[in-house]
């Protein structure tokens, strides 16, 4: 049922010039890269109750209330990814290395003359919430289905009986396959149209391969404030504006595995290009309470992010049918049918809300003096409801509103709420620190398996107003990718295991 509804809505997206899919919603919502300082990442990204750490601006702004002076810091990082894929029993691998800028900015804090409000602090900074730079490749031999069958389903679902409509009304789907003869008509004995067929025959085996390259990310710009009440209660609020940029190029190729040079099929290739840009807004509220000097308890709430996004999408089909329909390779792009213009879609996306419960225990005595602190252990438990993600129409068009309503129902069928856990600790050796941590990000799918596990560690140095931190984050990421989906056949995903490391450094100055 879930596969059926997904395909119906995907067909509608092509028919009504909408290109959004459930995968888009999860991509911009499943944020497993905290992107904080090197110190924060070395302790697994936990920090909703720690306080006095610049990453509080993005996790729990109540932590800003611990500041009584100012900080300036920069956090560059370098990632090393090696995605491995398994598809139809075959394995493949790729590599991808990227440079990023993590949590960087200023915090200004100082005491007040108030008897109740001991200090006020303000923070301003940028943070990398998501890194979309990746390269995925997988291949296998399929004897059960063909990518081209989704074009047949599109024509059947819309009850297309006019070949002229098949040739022109679906510039981002079956029209391209029809005009390059990959999809052809079936005729009744009287010569009338009796349906459509694909020249790609899975019965004789089809070699399939998919190459996906993605770039971009989500960069967050945040302004926050923290209050210190009687050194017991700390409150904070942050307003964040995330800037989203995503580009995806995909090339799916299907070729004849039978080596028969006379069956009217050699190969076809589908090339797609998607570019998404936009900006969003959200708020974060938090509180930290110190029941005793060694214990800190934190609670943070992240509102949904509301994005205004624009997609530009193009696709083309290339076929070699061994002379069927004319000699040579045939090619047609969506821009051939749209006056050279890409499909442009403007829409809003609302991502899930998040709630974080956290606790920290600090070792040492006379903790008002940070020099006497011996270390800490801290943990975050985060709840995320992925069923609350939703697309929204901005065009006031009835067909668009219906499409997005149905798509949102599909999101409810595919995704679920989940719990993420982050844990870490630090041991102080005078001016040097040693840190360890880890994190687990739960499965957002209802019927598929996916999760992220991180193992982290690092060192730090603080002396005379200068601090230097270095962290290493090793991530073990498991996800799925469907090259295509059909209504009446099993849909086989590629299993993606994207393990890799991230080296993070922070240099900062107190003032």
């Amino acid at each position: 049922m879930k596969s059926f509804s997904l395909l119906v809505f995907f067909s509608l997206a092509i028919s009504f010039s909408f290109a959004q899919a459930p995968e888009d919603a999860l991509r911009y919502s499943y944020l497993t890269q905290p992107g904080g300082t090197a110190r924060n990442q070395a302790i697994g990204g936990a920090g909703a109750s720690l306080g006095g750490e610049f990453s509080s601006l993005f996790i729990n702004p109540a932590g800003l209330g611990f500041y009584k002076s100012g900080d300036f810091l920069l956090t560059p990082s370098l990632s090393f990814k090696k995605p491995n894929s398994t598809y139809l029993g075959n394995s493949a691998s790729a590599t991808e290395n990227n440079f990023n800028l993590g949590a960087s900015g200023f915090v200004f804090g100082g005491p007040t003359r108030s008897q109740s409000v001991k200090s006020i602090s303000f923070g301003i900074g940028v943070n990398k919430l998501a890194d979309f730079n990746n390269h995925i490749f997988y291949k296998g031999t399929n004897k059960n289905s063909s990518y081209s069958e989704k074009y047949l389903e599109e024509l059947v679902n819309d009850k297309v009986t006019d070949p002229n409509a098949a040739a022109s009304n679906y510039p981002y789907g079956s029209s391209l396959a029809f005009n390059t003869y990959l999809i052809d008509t079936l005729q009744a004995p009287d010569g009338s149209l009796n349906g459509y067929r694909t020249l790609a025959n899975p019965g004789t085996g089809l070699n399939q391969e998919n190459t996906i390259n993605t770039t971009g990310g989500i960069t967050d710009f945040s302004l926050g404030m923290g209050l210190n009440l009687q050194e017991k209660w700390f409150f904070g609020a942050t307003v964040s504006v995330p800037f989203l940029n995503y580009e995806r190029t995909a090339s799916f190729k299907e070729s004849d595995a039978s080596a028969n040079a006379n069956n009217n099929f050699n190969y076809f290739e589908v090339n797609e290009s998607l570019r998404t840009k936009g900006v969003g807004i959200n708020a974060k509220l938090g509180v930290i309470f110190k029941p005793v000097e060694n214990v800190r308890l934190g609670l943070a709430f992240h509102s949904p992010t509301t994005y205004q996004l624009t997609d530009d999408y193009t696709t083309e089909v290339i076929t070699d049918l061994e002379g069927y329909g004319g000699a040579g390779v045939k090619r047609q792009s969506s821009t051939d049918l749209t006056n050279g213009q890409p499909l442009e879609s403007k829409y809003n996306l609302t991502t899930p809300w998040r709630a974080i419960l956290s606790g920290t225990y600090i070792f040492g005595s006379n903790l008002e003096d940070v020099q006497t602190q011996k270390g800490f252990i801290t943990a975050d438990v985060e709840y995320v409801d992925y069923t609350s993600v939703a697309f929204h129409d901005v065009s006031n068009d009835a067909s668009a509103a219906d499409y997005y309503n149905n798509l949102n129902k599909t999101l409810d069928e595919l995704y679920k709420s989940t719990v993420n856990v982050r844990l870490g600790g630090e041991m102080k050796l005078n001016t040097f620190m040693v840190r360890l941590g880890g994190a687990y990000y739960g499965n957002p799918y209802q019927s598929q398996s996916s999760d992220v596990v991180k193992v982290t560690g690092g060192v730090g140095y603080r002396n005379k107003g200068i601090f230097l931190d270095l962290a290493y984050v090793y991530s073990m990421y498991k996800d799925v990718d469907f090259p295509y989906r059909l209504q009446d056949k099993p849909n086989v995903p590629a299993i993606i295991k994207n393990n890799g490391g991230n080296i993070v450094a922070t240099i900062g100055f107190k003032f």
Side-chain angles (χ1 to χ4, degrees):
M1 180 62 184
K2 294 173 184 175
S3 296
F4 177 81
S5 59
L6 181 65
L7 259 295
V8 170
F9 298 142
F10 181 72
S11 298
L12 287 171
I14 296 174
S15 303
F16 295 114
S17 295
F18 309 131
Q20 292 72 54
E23 289 83 356
D24 300 325
L26 187 62
R27 180 187 311 119
Y28 306 137
S29 303
Y30 193 57
L31 304 178
T32 63
Q33 177 184 342
T37 63
R39 184 193 190 202
N40 174 253
Q41 294 197 48
I43 58 173
S49 58
L50 183 58
E53 156 68 40
F54 182 74
S55 301
S56 300
L57 179 65
F58 312 103
I59 303 172
N60 183 354
L64 299 176
F66 286 79
Y67 275 90
K68 296 181 176 63
S69 61
D71 279 1
F72 166 71
L73 64 151
L74 292 171
T75 304
S77 66
L78 183 63
S79 64
F80 306 88
K81 301 176 184 177
K82 189 175 182 179
N84 295 278
S85 61
T86 302
Y87 180 61
L88 297 171
N90 291 277
S91 298
S93 63
T95 58
E96 182 74 25
N97 303 326
N98 297 104
F99 173 83
N100 286 301
L101 183 66
S104 301
F106 297 87
V107 176
F108 307 90
T112 71
R113 297 180 179 180
S114 170
Q115 293 297 317
S116 57
V117 180
K118 294 297 184 181
S119 61
I120 298 177
S121 56
F122 299 89
I124 178 172
V126 296
N127 190 28
K128 192 78 168 184
L129 294 182
D131 176 15
F132 298 138
N133 292 284
N134 207 5
H135 175 74
I136 295 174
F137 173 77
Y138 55 85
K139 63 180 179 179
T141 301
N142 196 329
K143 295 185 177 181
N144 297 310
S145 68
S146 167
Y147 183 105
S148 61
E149 291 177 87
K150 74 174 192 175
Y151 299 131
L152 294 179
E153 290 184 347
E154 181 176 45
L155 297 174
V156 170
N157 287 337
D158 281 6
K159 299 179 175 59
V160 179
T161 58
D162 181 1
N164 292 322
S168 59
N169 289 0
Y170 303 89
Y172 306 100
S174 43
S175 291
L176 307 182
F178 187 79
N179 294 334
T180 55
Y181 292 92
L182 175 63
I183 301 299
D184 201 8
T185 57
L186 288 172
Q187 291 185 334
D190 62 359
S192 62
L193 178 70
N194 194 34
Y196 301 89
R197 66 185 179 102
T198 173
L199 272 68
N201 181 12
T204 58
L206 297 169
N207 296 322
Q208 297 178 333
E209 58 183 62
N210 201 14
T211 302
I212 304 171
N213 292 297
T214 58
T215 60
I218 301 176
T219 299
D220 181 278
F221 174 77
S222 292
L223 294 170
M225 181 182 72
L227 297 177
N228 174 352
L229 274 62
Q230 299 295 335
E231 300 293 346
K232 280 286 188 181
W233 291 92
F234 301 82
F235 297 91
T238 294
V239 176
S240 298
V241 179
F243 295 88
L244 187 152
N245 178 39
Y246 175 76
E247 293 191 29
R248 177 181 185 269
T249 58
S251 179
F252 182 91
K253 185 176 181 179
E254 203 165 88
S255 58
D256 184 15
S258 70
N260 184 347
N262 298 300
N263 62 355
N264 296 330
F265 179 72
N266 185 18
Y267 73 86
F268 77 89
E269 186 173 333
V270 180
N271 297 315
E272 297 178 298
S273 175
L274 171 66
R275 182 177 64 184
T276 302
K277 290 187 176 183
V279 63
I281 189 168
N282 65 62
K284 302 175 180 69
L285 301 174
V287 59
I288 296 175
F289 173 56
K290 291 200 303 183
V292 295
E293 198 62 33
N294 295 78
V295 176
R296 299 175 184 178
L297 304 175
L299 179 65
F301 175 78
H302 296 191
S303 77
T305 300
T306 299
Y307 284 105
Q308 290 187 340
L309 300 176
T310 300
D311 288 357
D312 286 331
Y313 175 79
T314 61
T315 183
E316 70 170 351
V317 173
I318 303 169
T319 63
D320 181 349
L321 306 178
E322 299 172 338
Y324 185 87
V329 173
K330 302 168 188 64
R331 178 193 302 259
Q332 187 168 68
S333 169
S334 58
T335 55
D336 296 335
L337 303 177
T338 59
N339 297 318
Q341 299 301 310
L343 166 61
E344 182 179 271
S345 302
K346 295 182 182 291
Y347 57 98
N348 289 343
L349 173 68
T350 302
T351 67
W353 58 270
R354 300 166 183 267
I356 307 172
L357 181 65
S358 178
T360 298
Y361 184 85
I362 300 177
F363 299 95
S365 58
N366 188 25
L367 299 182
E368 289 293 330
D369 181 3
V370 295
Q371 300 297 325
T372 65
Q373 296 178 9
K374 302 300 182 182
F376 63 82
I377 184 169
T378 186
D380 292 354
V381 178
E382 179 182 53
Y383 176 83
V384 187
D385 182 12
Y386 290 103
T387 63
S388 64
V389 67
F391 291 93
H392 306 280
D393 172 48
V394 297
S395 63
N396 296 318
D397 179 82
S399 60
D402 287 343
Y403 167 73
Y404 288 119
N405 286 336
N406 288 328
L407 180 57
N408 291 335
K409 292 178 182 178
T410 303
L411 297 178
D412 292 339
E413 294 178 350
L414 293 178
Y415 304 132
K416 65 179 183 179
S417 60
T418 190
V419 173
N420 306 322
V421 179
R422 298 182 284 267
L423 174 68
E426 174 184 279
M427 182 173 63
K428 293 185 66 174
L429 306 171
N430 196 5
T431 57
F432 291 92
M433 280 70 69
V434 178
R435 303 166 183 132
L436 289 174
Y440 171 79
Y441 293 84
N443 179 20
Y445 297 101
Q446 289 204 29
S447 59
Q448 301 294 330
S449 176
S450 174
D451 55 38
V452 176
V453 177
K454 295 189 176 187
V455 179
T456 65
V459 294
Y461 171 81
R462 277 164 166 70
N463 194 26
K464 296 181 179 180
I466 298 175
F467 52 97
L468 301 171
D469 297 309
L470 185 67
Y472 182 76
V473 180
Y474 185 76
S475 302
M476 293 164 280
Y477 178 89
K478 180 182 178 182
D479 201 0
V480 297
D481 184 80
F482 288 87
Y484 57 93
R485 297 179 188 255
L486 300 175
Q487 298 173 15
D488 60 349
K489 291 186 177 181
N491 294 298
V492 180
I495 306 301
I496 310 296
K497 294 183 178 181
N498 197 349
N499 298 348
N502 194 26
I503 298 173
V504 187
T506 296
I507 179 171
F509 305 91
K510 289 190 172 295
F511 56 88

